[in-house]
Amino acid sequence: MRVLRRALGTLLALGAAPALASGSATAHGDEARPGGRPPAAPAPFEQLLPAPVSARAEGPGYAFGPGTVIRTAPGSGEEVRRVGELLAEQLRGPSGLPLPVVGGAGADGIRLRLDAGAGGVGQEGYRLESRPTGVTLTARTPAGLFHAGQTLRQLVPAAGPGTVPGGTVTDRPRFAYRGAMVDVARHFFPVEQVKRYVDQLAQYKVNTLHLHLSDDQGWRLAVDSWPRLAAYGGGSEVGGGPGGHWTKEEYRELVAYAGERYVEVVPEIDMPGHTNAALASYAELNCDGKAPERYTGVKVGFSSLCVAKERTYEFIDEVLGELAELTPGRYLHIGGDEAHSTPAADYAAFMDRAQAVVGRYGKTVVAWHQLATARPARGAVLQYWGHDRTPAAEKAAVAAAAKAGHPLVLSPADRLYLDMKYDPATKPGLAWAGYVPVERAYSWDPGAYLAGVPQSAVLGVEAPLWTETVATRADWELMAFPRVLGLAELGWSPAAALGWDGYRARLAAQGPRLAAQDIGYHRAPDVPWS
């Protein structure tokens, strides 16, 4: 997955990221360029990103101003009230309007309405209707209302009072799983930075956050039953920096924060390879009983838990048990990639037992697609990270697993790996899967990507950000934006709406929004930025 096909060169200096100047955008890692102020006029429906299933401009719109209230219908419950409060907070920031949230009936303002029988919206979709009397957001679930609110954010005047254009949007997602992954193991990042990313993702309807919590270079989550994992294994990172780890309380806080924005956290403890931080922390996990030194390089495939030791499985049970207790979501990711130091038979036997542990704790297994070469547990989700040059036999094994009933999450490295350079001038990043400019990251169809895999087998898409060369917030945002917005559209929008020419115009319209939110981004030369 992260095999380096060429020398990395000099790693970037470590340290905290400086805050980017408001209204700035970063190109090729150079100094910030002015991105311009957000336009005062409301964005037309054709500029919405992700592109909705249906959008029809019709008649006069709603005057959004000092008298606007957000209404929750009688009996709609505390969760809908919370969605309304969060939407008010999001809209107050740029508008400066009071936007009180009130309960009870009323024809004016922004109305949040649950309707279990709403047609054409599914479980996460919505209908948005803008008329002179107000804006009505209708959905079957609170998640749908939240997504409707994120669409409304793109339609309200960015600079304050003005008009929300009149018309109707009816929308629902194409894929259930629309994810982004953050590797906090190679370089450590505090919870606040990950929360910032959650907000950035959720506004574009990304609903899954995959956290890569352990690797050769560091262990990032406190585990009560194995305290040296974080205390010692967390004290390193690529390049020799101090590393760090999250407490259980910090992790709970992040999971809750994401959940309030309808983003499900999928934690990953990689195994049996990518485990040097654990092996360095506890000698008993090594077959020879000797702990290796902590590792701060970038090579992969050299480490392995001791498959023959029963203590290994006690370790897995206790670590995954604590992680399952902390994580209310459906999934536990157990890695399984690049286990080059584990013989094939041992790998299969190990994964059998690791998957059984996940099942005992009531979770569904997620693993990298190498699990297809072993014995995937019933219902296990495989995450495919191959690319155009991946051997046909490997792709065929993944297709066979999909035909056997295993859902796939697609993360092709030469499309969705956010750590791949845009071009030779990009300062951070790698290029072992090739350069990935914005158009390449977007211009493919997940429903028809892998030969022999029907769209029905594709659970969704995910854009991983590996951090061998990503050490600061500025690096992170440069590599993620704007490519992660393409991931959002690929995961949400209908296939018929996809197309580079239309997308590049929608993406260009997001430039002022990104700048207003102080998000540094790569100004791709083939996008007509505002």
Side-chain angles (χ1 to χ4, degrees), residues 155-175:
L155 294 171
V156 298
T163 301
V164 178
T168 302
V169 178
T170 302
D171 206 6
R172 61 186 178 277
R174 181 184 183 190
F175 294 108

Side-chain angles (χ1 to χ4, degrees), residues 164-241:
V164 178
T168 302
V169 178
T170 302
D171 206 6
R172 61 186 178 277
R174 181 184 183 190
F175 294 108
Y177 187 112
R178 306 175 303 280
M181 189 217 78
V182 178
D183 167 21
V184 294
R186 270 50 178 278
H187 277 106
F188 176 69
F189 287 89
V191 161
E192 289 304 315
Q193 168 59 28
V194 184
K195 284 183 179 179
R196 174 178 168 84
Y197 200 40
V198 167
D199 282 324
Q200 292 166 345
L201 296 170
Q203 68 176 320
Y204 292 103
K205 305 180 177 66
V206 173
N207 70 349
T208 307
L209 178 68
H210 171 184
L211 297 172
H212 187 75
L213 294 171
S214 68
D215 214 297
D216 293 316
Q217 297 85 352
W219 186 285
R220 304 304 182 206
L221 180 64
V223 178
D224 293 340
S225 54
W226 296 77
R228 272 179 61 83
L229 291 173
Y232 183 76
S236 56
E237 62 185 2
V238 167

